[in-house]
Amino acid sequence: MRVILAQPRGFCAGVVRAIDIVEKALEKYGEPVYVRHEIVHNKHVVNTLKSKGARFVEELDEVPEGAVTVFSAHGVPLSVVNTAKDRGLPVLDATCPLVSKVHNQGKRYVAHGRTLILIGHAGHPEVEGTMGQVGAPVHLVQDEEEVAALTIPTDTPVAYITQTTLSIDDTKGIIQALKNRFSDIVGPETSDICYATQNRQTSVRELAKVVDVILVVGAANSSNSNRLREIGIEEGIPSYLINDGSELKPEWIRGKQTVGLTAGASAPEELVNHVIEALGAIEDVTVETMDGKKEHIEFRLPAELRA
């Protein structure tokens, strides 16, 4: 059996930065360090950090007075930021810089008097953080039908921003529906879309051209991992989302000569290797890596941790 690895796959720069922040905070301040929400959507990563002394909470009232607190890579609403300030909690912000960029775009559009529309998934932590950062009402749309249902007059000056785990392909239909609906509309350049989301989706489309089945390593609550699986299916290839090799079902690969393997932006490479081991336990495998875009982006740590 041939196993072809997507390129790129796995950790993006925002995830690497977020994990580094927790680990370096533990080194500098000692345990426990409190993290609001899962630092990234991957149980393996979360459990590894727990074993090192991180404590994960959903709300700040679970954080003891004076405890070092980390905000997750998804970002948080201003109300959370203000609560931390009011309590005097020492905070390290692990919000992905590309998510922060979306926050700032939204604030600028609102400051220029535009009504803001956010393209994203309801209930996702990044979406909740973005809606709570802008300081003005935000209209959330998830598909073209919800664009049609908006009650905003068509001549209203509007602007749109998007959840970072959506690619150009994911949003183009919704953006076109918005442009058809509103006469005065602006939005970010396509170059502002998260590079990692776009790259991983492009690599899966390429992978689908040469494999019989696709395995996506990632968590069930990971938006970008689920999207990778959906893209494989859209391309006509049976595709499955698994946390690690223990979830591999032999019937998925029975009779298949070539297996494509990729990973969501919050899945570590060791889980990819675990899946390869599980495949190798079923039958002999050869592993190769597909040609693809090499990523060299790095994001700086907060000043408190750079010394």
Side-chain angles (χ1 to χ4, degrees):
M1 180 188 292
R2 290 173 68 208
V3 176
I4 302 179
L5 301 177
Q7 173 64 35
R9 64 185 178 278
F11 279 178
C12 62
V15 166
V16 170
R17 176 180 180 270
I19 294 169
D20 282 352
I21 286 172
V22 178
E23 291 183 336
K24 290 186 183 303
L26 286 163
E27 290 173 15
K28 180 170 182 176
Y29 303 110
E31 61 176 278
V33 164
Y34 287 81
V35 185
R36 185 189 180 276
H37 194 66
E38 291 185 343
I39 189 69
V40 296
H41 282 156
N42 188 277
K43 288 292 184 188
H44 179 84
V45 171
V46 168
N47 289 336
T48 298
L49 292 173
K50 279 182 180 178
S51 72
K52 295 179 179 180
R55 302 288 181 269
F56 291 87
V57 299
E58 285 304 310
E59 300 301 339
L60 291 187
D61 58 13
E62 300 173 62
V63 179
E65 294 301 322
V68 174
T69 305
V70 179
F71 294 155
S72 81
H74 310 99
V76 297
L78 276 173
S79 59
V80 173
V81 176
N82 292 333
T83 298
K85 283 180 182 175
D86 292 343
R87 292 191 54 199
L89 295 174
V91 168
L92 295 165
D93 190 355
T95 301
C96 174
L98 296 179
V99 174
S100 296
K101 186 176 183 179
V102 172
H103 294 171
N104 292 331
Q105 286 171 336
K107 291 172 185 175
R108 282 198 301 274
Y109 289 140
V110 167
H112 289 137
R114 292 187 175 271
T115 297
L116 192 64
I117 298 167
L118 170 60
I119 302 169
H121 298 306
H124 191 279
E126 181 188 327
V127 166
E128 292 179 350
T130 299
M131 294 181 74
Q133 275 279 345
V134 172
V138 179
H139 300 267
L140 178 65
V141 294
Q142 301 178 86
D143 52 39
E144 293 166 43
E145 288 72 25
E146 291 188 0
V147 172
L150 288 169
T151 56
I152 307 167
T154 57
D155 59 350
T156 303
V158 300
Y160 66 85
I161 53 177
T162 72
Q163 180 180 333
T164 63
T165 49
L166 302 177
S167 71
I168 297 168
D169 294 338
D170 296 331
T171 57
K172 63 184 178 183
I174 302 173
I175 290 171
Q176 191 57 53
L178 288 168
K179 289 179 176 178
N180 292 342
R181 172 92 192 262
F182 298 103
S183 57
D184 183 359
I185 182 168
V186 296
E189 298 296 320
T190 55
S191 60
D192 289 335
I193 296 288
C194 170
Y195 77 94
T197 297
Q198 190 64 47
N199 289 349
R200 279 151 190 72
Q201 292 191 10
T202 299
S203 74
V204 167
R205 293 190 192 280
E206 291 301 310
L207 196 63
K209 296 175 182 177
V210 295
V211 302
D212 303 312
V213 61
I214 291 174
L215 303 176
V216 180
V217 182
N221 62 338
S222 166
S223 174
N224 75 88
S225 298
N226 275 287
R227 187 66 187 119
L228 294 178
R229 181 190 62 81
E230 290 169 2
I231 287 171
I233 292 170
E234 287 171 10
E235 297 294 324
I237 303 298
S239 302
Y240 305 95
L241 179 65
I242 55 176
N243 276 303
D244 54 38
S246 69
E247 296 184 359
L248 176 67
K249 295 185 178 179
E251 58 264 31
W252 294 344
I253 60 168
R254 193 171 291 128
K256 305 289 195 290
Q257 293 184 334
T258 308
V259 176
L261 185 54
T262 189
S266 51
E269 186 68 6
E270 62 193 274
L271 298 185
V272 174
N273 292 332
H274 194 255
V275 173
I276 293 172
E277 290 173 11
L279 289 166
I282 297 171
E283 63 179 273
D284 291 340
V285 299
T286 60
V287 181
E288 56 193 271
T289 301
M290 187 178 68
D291 287 337
K293 194 168 285 188
K294 302 286 196 298
E295 296 175 344
H296 304 289
I297 293 173
E298 294 182 7
F299 294 135
R300 295 181 75 187
L301 295 173
E304 306 96 304
L305 300 177
R306 289 202 298 264

